[in-house]
Amino acid sequence: MRRITVLISNLGTGTNLQALIDEATTGYNGQIVCVISSKADAYGLVRAKQADIPTEIFDYTDFRAQGKPRARYEEELAQTLQRYSPDLIVLAGWKLALSQTFLRYFPWRVIALHPGLIPDRPGNQVKLPDGTYGDDYAGLAGENAIQALLAAGQTYAGSTVYVVTDQVDRGPVLARGLVKVEPGDDVETLYERLKEKEHDILLDSLHELCLEKAKSTR
Ligand code: GRF
């Protein structure tokens, strides 16, 4: 069974975390061993506690208030996670960019979800089923990305599961999910449908990664 830690914040309400909790063990060969939030008021913390998963709060503003540099925050976050010996770290609504200071502890083992279409090659755009193209909305979090795609008149909304690198919202793509923008859609209706798709692509990715890991340690 692969050991998974999930990093969240108060950006969303932890629906992706809930999907991971609901499908752990049966849907993929994994177990969530800890949930860390950068904000104490993240609803995902309630979801984790209901599932008896250990939680920790790691708020960067507390570090800053104590005059500690960002690198120190990332070091301490990585060292806290190390205590749980994770095989995989999933960023599901995590807001802070992570640099090599953090990533070097877990090379190629940090994955994330982004509500934009990250291309396979930097500079490219992802082709949509109707032949138009979708943007990655890199750097725009949550509803802001959905708002931007509606404003741009994009015909499909999309999310990407990818391996985290030190470039914001860029990295090797594991899965993408698309939903068609319907007439009358607003941020709320569209994002709700996209989140359902996100749950599917996240679970599919975890399924593959947990199997890969199981194969490589055989
Ligand atoms: C997701 O849309 C994810 O793509 C983004 O943050 C959101 C978190 O949503 N990074 P939820 O809290 O899992 O509902």
Short mmCIF file of all heavy atoms in Angstrom, two decimals, residues 5-38:
data_model
loop_
_atom_site.label_atom_id
_atom_site.label_comp_id
_atom_site.label_asym_id
_atom_site.label_seq_id
_atom_site.Cartn_x
_atom_site.Cartn_y
_atom_site.Cartn_z
N THR A 5 0.53 11.61 1.16
CA THR A 5 0.22 12.79 1.97
C THR A 5 -0.43 13.81 1.05
O THR A 5 -0.08 13.92 -0.12
CB THR A 5 1.48 13.39 2.62
OG1 THR A 5 2.44 13.63 1.62
CG2 THR A 5 2.07 12.46 3.66
N VAL A 6 -1.38 14.55 1.58
CA VAL A 6 -2.11 15.52 0.77
C VAL A 6 -1.93 16.91 1.37
O VAL A 6 -2.08 17.09 2.58
CB VAL A 6 -3.62 15.16 0.69
CG1 VAL A 6 -4.34 16.10 -0.27
CG2 VAL A 6 -3.80 13.70 0.25
N LEU A 7 -1.59 17.86 0.52
CA LEU A 7 -1.41 19.25 0.95
C LEU A 7 -2.59 20.08 0.44
O LEU A 7 -2.89 20.05 -0.76
CB LEU A 7 -0.09 19.82 0.40
CG LEU A 7 1.15 19.71 1.31
CD1 LEU A 7 1.37 18.29 1.76
CD2 LEU A 7 2.38 20.26 0.61
N ILE A 8 -3.24 20.79 1.35
CA ILE A 8 -4.41 21.58 0.98
C ILE A 8 -4.28 23.00 1.54
O ILE A 8 -3.30 23.33 2.22
CB ILE A 8 -5.71 20.93 1.54
CG1 ILE A 8 -5.65 20.86 3.07
CG2 ILE A 8 -5.94 19.55 0.94
CD1 ILE A 8 -6.98 20.52 3.74
N SER A 9 -5.30 23.81 1.26
CA SER A 9 -5.39 25.15 1.87
C SER A 9 -6.89 25.48 1.93
O SER A 9 -7.72 24.59 1.73
CB SER A 9 -4.66 26.17 1.00
OG SER A 9 -5.38 26.37 -0.21
N ASN A 10 -7.20 26.74 2.13
CA ASN A 10 -8.62 27.13 2.11
C ASN A 10 -9.04 27.64 0.74
O ASN A 10 -10.06 28.29 0.60
CB ASN A 10 -8.91 28.18 3.19
CG ASN A 10 -8.03 29.41 3.01
OD1 ASN A 10 -7.23 29.49 2.07
ND2 ASN A 10 -8.17 30.38 3.90
N LEU A 11 -8.27 27.29 -0.29
CA LEU A 11 -8.60 27.71 -1.66
C LEU A 11 -9.93 27.10 -2.11
O LEU A 11 -10.78 27.77 -2.69
CB LEU A 11 -7.48 27.27 -2.62
CG LEU A 11 -7.66 27.53 -4.10
CD1 LEU A 11 -7.65 29.02 -4.40
CD2 LEU A 11 -6.56 26.83 -4.90
N GLY A 12 -10.10 25.80 -1.85
CA GLY A 12 -11.35 25.13 -2.19
C GLY A 12 -11.99 24.58 -0.92
O GLY A 12 -11.70 25.06 0.18
N THR A 13 -12.80 23.56 -1.09
CA THR A 13 -13.45 22.97 0.09
C THR A 13 -13.00 21.52 0.31
O THR A 13 -13.64 20.77 1.04
CB THR A 13 -14.99 23.02 -0.04
OG1 THR A 13 -15.36 22.32 -1.24
CG2 THR A 13 -15.49 24.45 -0.11
N GLY A 14 -11.94 21.12 -0.37
CA GLY A 14 -11.40 19.79 -0.15
C GLY A 14 -12.17 18.67 -0.84
O GLY A 14 -12.14 17.53 -0.40
N THR A 15 -12.81 19.00 -1.98
CA THR A 15 -13.57 17.93 -2.67
C THR A 15 -12.63 16.89 -3.29
O THR A 15 -12.96 15.71 -3.34
CB THR A 15 -14.51 18.49 -3.76
OG1 THR A 15 -13.74 19.07 -4.81
CG2 THR A 15 -15.48 19.51 -3.19
N ASN A 16 -11.47 17.34 -3.77
CA ASN A 16 -10.52 16.36 -4.32
C ASN A 16 -9.96 15.48 -3.21
O ASN A 16 -9.80 14.27 -3.39
CB ASN A 16 -9.40 17.08 -5.07
CG ASN A 16 -9.85 17.57 -6.44
OD1 ASN A 16 -10.00 16.78 -7.36
ND2 ASN A 16 -10.10 18.86 -6.57
N LEU A 17 -9.68 16.09 -2.08
CA LEU A 17 -9.24 15.30 -0.92
C LEU A 17 -10.30 14.27 -0.57
O LEU A 17 -9.99 13.10 -0.33
CB LEU A 17 -8.97 16.23 0.28
CG LEU A 17 -8.76 15.52 1.61
CD1 LEU A 17 -7.49 14.67 1.58
CD2 LEU A 17 -8.70 16.52 2.75
N GLN A 18 -11.56 14.68 -0.57
CA GLN A 18 -12.65 13.75 -0.23
C GLN A 18 -12.69 12.58 -1.22
O GLN A 18 -12.88 11.43 -0.82
CB GLN A 18 -13.99 14.49 -0.24
CG GLN A 18 -15.13 13.67 0.30
CD GLN A 18 -14.98 13.37 1.79
OE1 GLN A 18 -14.83 14.29 2.60
NE2 GLN A 18 -15.00 12.10 2.16
N ALA A 19 -12.48 12.90 -2.50
CA ALA A 19 -12.48 11.82 -3.50
C ALA A 19 -11.34 10.84 -3.20
O ALA A 19 -11.51 9.62 -3.31
CB ALA A 19 -12.33 12.41 -4.91
N LEU A 20 -10.19 11.37 -2.80
CA LEU A 20 -9.06 10.50 -2.46
C LEU A 20 -9.37 9.67 -1.22
O LEU A 20 -9.02 8.48 -1.15
CB LEU A 20 -7.80 11.34 -2.20
CG LEU A 20 -7.20 12.05 -3.41
CD1 LEU A 20 -6.03 12.93 -2.98
CD2 LEU A 20 -6.72 11.04 -4.45
N ILE A 21 -10.01 10.29 -0.24
CA ILE A 21 -10.37 9.56 0.99
C ILE A 21 -11.34 8.43 0.65
O ILE A 21 -11.17 7.29 1.06
CB ILE A 21 -11.00 10.52 2.03
CG1 ILE A 21 -9.96 11.50 2.56
CG2 ILE A 21 -11.64 9.73 3.18
CD1 ILE A 21 -10.52 12.63 3.43
N ASP A 22 -12.36 8.77 -0.15
CA ASP A 22 -13.41 7.79 -0.45
C ASP A 22 -12.88 6.59 -1.24
O ASP A 22 -13.37 5.48 -1.09
CB ASP A 22 -14.54 8.44 -1.25
CG ASP A 22 -15.30 9.45 -0.41
OD1 ASP A 22 -15.16 9.43 0.82
OD2 ASP A 22 -16.03 10.28 -1.00
N GLU A 23 -11.88 6.83 -2.08
CA GLU A 23 -11.41 5.75 -2.96
C GLU A 23 -10.14 5.08 -2.46
O GLU A 23 -9.65 4.14 -3.09
CB GLU A 23 -11.14 6.30 -4.37
CG GLU A 23 -12.37 6.83 -5.06
CD GLU A 23 -13.27 5.72 -5.59
OE1 GLU A 23 -12.76 4.73 -6.10
OE2 GLU A 23 -14.50 5.88 -5.48
N ALA A 24 -9.55 5.59 -1.36
CA ALA A 24 -8.30 4.99 -0.86
C ALA A 24 -8.55 3.50 -0.60
O ALA A 24 -9.64 3.10 -0.24
CB ALA A 24 -7.85 5.68 0.42
N THR A 25 -7.53 2.73 -0.78
CA THR A 25 -7.55 1.28 -0.56
C THR A 25 -8.29 0.53 -1.66
O THR A 25 -7.75 -0.39 -2.25
CB THR A 25 -8.22 0.90 0.80
OG1 THR A 25 -7.72 1.79 1.77
CG2 THR A 25 -7.85 -0.50 1.20
N THR A 26 -9.54 0.92 -1.95
CA THR A 26 -10.29 0.17 -2.95
C THR A 26 -10.05 0.70 -4.36
O THR A 26 -9.84 -0.05 -5.30
CB THR A 26 -11.81 0.22 -2.65
OG1 THR A 26 -12.17 1.57 -2.43
CG2 THR A 26 -12.15 -0.62 -1.45
N GLY A 27 -10.05 2.05 -4.53
CA GLY A 27 -9.92 2.63 -5.86
C GLY A 27 -8.48 2.67 -6.34
O GLY A 27 -8.21 2.65 -7.53
N TYR A 28 -7.53 2.77 -5.42
CA TYR A 28 -6.11 2.75 -5.77
C TYR A 28 -5.37 2.15 -4.58
O TYR A 28 -5.88 2.11 -3.47
CB TYR A 28 -5.60 4.16 -6.10
CG TYR A 28 -5.79 5.19 -5.00
CD1 TYR A 28 -4.79 5.43 -4.07
CD2 TYR A 28 -6.98 5.89 -4.89
CE1 TYR A 28 -4.97 6.36 -3.06
CE2 TYR A 28 -7.17 6.82 -3.88
CZ TYR A 28 -6.16 7.05 -2.97
OH TYR A 28 -6.35 7.96 -1.96
N ASN A 29 -4.16 1.70 -4.86
CA ASN A 29 -3.41 0.97 -3.85
C ASN A 29 -2.68 1.94 -2.92
O ASN A 29 -1.46 1.99 -2.87
CB ASN A 29 -2.42 0.05 -4.59
CG ASN A 29 -1.59 -0.77 -3.64
OD1 ASN A 29 -2.07 -1.19 -2.59
ND2 ASN A 29 -0.34 -1.00 -4.01
N GLY A 30 -3.47 2.78 -2.22
CA GLY A 30 -2.83 3.80 -1.40
C GLY A 30 -3.59 4.07 -0.12
O GLY A 30 -4.74 3.69 0.04
N GLN A 31 -2.88 4.79 0.77
CA GLN A 31 -3.44 5.10 2.08
C GLN A 31 -3.02 6.53 2.39
O GLN A 31 -1.84 6.87 2.22
CB GLN A 31 -2.80 4.11 3.07
CG GLN A 31 -3.09 4.33 4.49
CD GLN A 31 -2.11 3.55 5.37
OE1 GLN A 31 -1.07 3.03 4.91
NE2 GLN A 31 -2.41 3.47 6.64
N ILE A 32 -3.96 7.38 2.77
CA ILE A 32 -3.60 8.77 3.09
C ILE A 32 -3.10 8.80 4.53
O ILE A 32 -3.85 8.50 5.47
CB ILE A 32 -4.80 9.72 2.90
CG1 ILE A 32 -5.34 9.59 1.47
CG2 ILE A 32 -4.38 11.16 3.18
CD1 ILE A 32 -6.58 10.38 1.20
N VAL A 33 -1.81 9.13 4.69
CA VAL A 33 -1.22 9.03 6.02
C VAL A 33 -1.19 10.38 6.73
O VAL A 33 -0.98 10.44 7.95
CB VAL A 33 0.21 8.42 5.95
CG1 VAL A 33 0.11 6.95 5.55
CG2 VAL A 33 1.11 9.19 5.00
N CYS A 34 -1.40 11.47 5.99
CA CYS A 34 -1.42 12.78 6.64
C CYS A 34 -1.97 13.83 5.68
O CYS A 34 -1.78 13.74 4.47
CB CYS A 34 0.00 13.16 7.03
SG CYS A 34 0.17 14.82 7.66
N VAL A 35 -2.68 14.81 6.24
CA VAL A 35 -3.14 15.97 5.46
C VAL A 35 -2.53 17.21 6.10
O VAL A 35 -2.68 17.41 7.32
CB VAL A 35 -4.68 16.06 5.45
CG1 VAL A 35 -5.14 17.36 4.82
CG2 VAL A 35 -5.28 14.86 4.70
N ILE A 36 -1.83 18.00 5.32
CA ILE A 36 -1.26 19.24 5.85
C ILE A 36 -1.94 20.41 5.14
O ILE A 36 -2.06 20.43 3.92
CB ILE A 36 0.27 19.30 5.63
CG1 ILE A 36 0.94 18.20 6.47
CG2 ILE A 36 0.82 20.68 6.01
CD1 ILE A 36 2.45 18.23 6.47
N SER A 37 -2.36 21.38 5.94
CA SER A 37 -3.00 22.57 5.37
C SER A 37 -2.16 23.81 5.68
O SER A 37 -1.59 23.92 6.76
CB SER A 37 -4.39 22.75 5.96
OG SER A 37 -4.96 23.96 5.48
N SER A 38 -2.13 24.71 4.72
CA SER A 38 -1.43 25.98 4.97
C SER A 38 -2.35 26.98 5.68
O SER A 38 -1.91 28.06 6.02
CB SER A 38 -0.93 26.58 3.66
OG SER A 38 -2.02 26.89 2.83
#
